[in-house]
């Protein structure tokens, strides 16, 4: 079992920045790809950014140039978000894959508003 806990969300003004963190605990050996997803109010969950175990990253079009996903060699996955827009308001979820299971955190709320 793997447990994921996100942190770093909050209220930020348009144009501001936030860094989300995801801490994995439990049986973390063998974890493969990781990613951040978000669910805006009234909408479906969507992919924001992913990172493979080898460090290869991929971003949704809306995240390119503004968001950066990274991870350390232990148990953390990060999402640096810059130039935030009101449409980035959402609950952000961390995801890791450990075959054959997808693990999810409970999410952290990001609100972009003046």
């Amino acid at each position: 079992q793997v447990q994921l806990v996100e942190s770093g969300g909050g209220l930020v003004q348009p144009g501001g920045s936030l860094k989300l963190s995801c801490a994995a605990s439990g049986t973390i050996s063998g974890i493969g790809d990781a990613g951040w997803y978000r669910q805006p109010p009234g909408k479906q969950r969507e992919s924001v950014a992913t990172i493979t175990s080898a460090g290869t990253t991929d971003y949704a079009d809306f995240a390119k140039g503004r968001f950066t996903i990274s991870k350390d060699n232990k148990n953390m996955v990060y999402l640096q978000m810059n130039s935030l827009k009101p449409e980035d308001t959402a609950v952000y979820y961390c995801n890791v894959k450990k075959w054959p299971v997808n693990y999810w955190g409970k999410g952290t709320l990001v609100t972009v508003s003046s």
Side-chain angles (χ1 to χ4, degrees):
Q1 289 285 345
V2 176
Q3 294 79 43
L4 302 174
V5 178
E6 302 96 336
S7 61
L11 174 64
V12 62
Q13 291 187 342
S17 298
L18 281 176
K19 185 174 184 177
L20 306 183
S21 300
C22 172
S25 61
T27 309
I28 61 175
S29 62
I31 285 179
D33 300 351
W36 287 94
Y37 294 73
R38 71 182 189 183
Q39 187 164 14
K43 297 184 179 180
Q44 292 188 331
R45 192 174 299 189
E46 60 186 355
S47 177
V48 177
T50 58
I51 185 166
T52 69
S53 56
T56 301
T57 59
D58 191 31
Y59 296 91
D61 286 344
F62 63 79
K64 291 178 181 177
R66 299 191 299 131
F67 296 0
T68 303
I69 188 171
S70 62
K71 65 185 180 72
D72 66 11
N73 292 325
K74 296 182 179 179
N75 67 327
M76 299 296 295
V77 183
Y78 304 99
L79 184 69
Q80 176 68 46
M81 305 187 294
N82 299 326
S83 302
L84 284 162
K85 305 174 182 180
E87 51 263 44
D88 294 319
T89 295
V91 178
Y92 284 72
Y93 298 90
C94 179
N95 167 272
V96 299
K97 297 175 174 57
K98 181 176 178 180
W99 191 88
V101 180
N102 261 325
Y103 293 94
W104 294 91
K106 293 183 178 181
T108 185
L109 176 63
V110 172
T111 303
V112 185
S113 175
S114 55

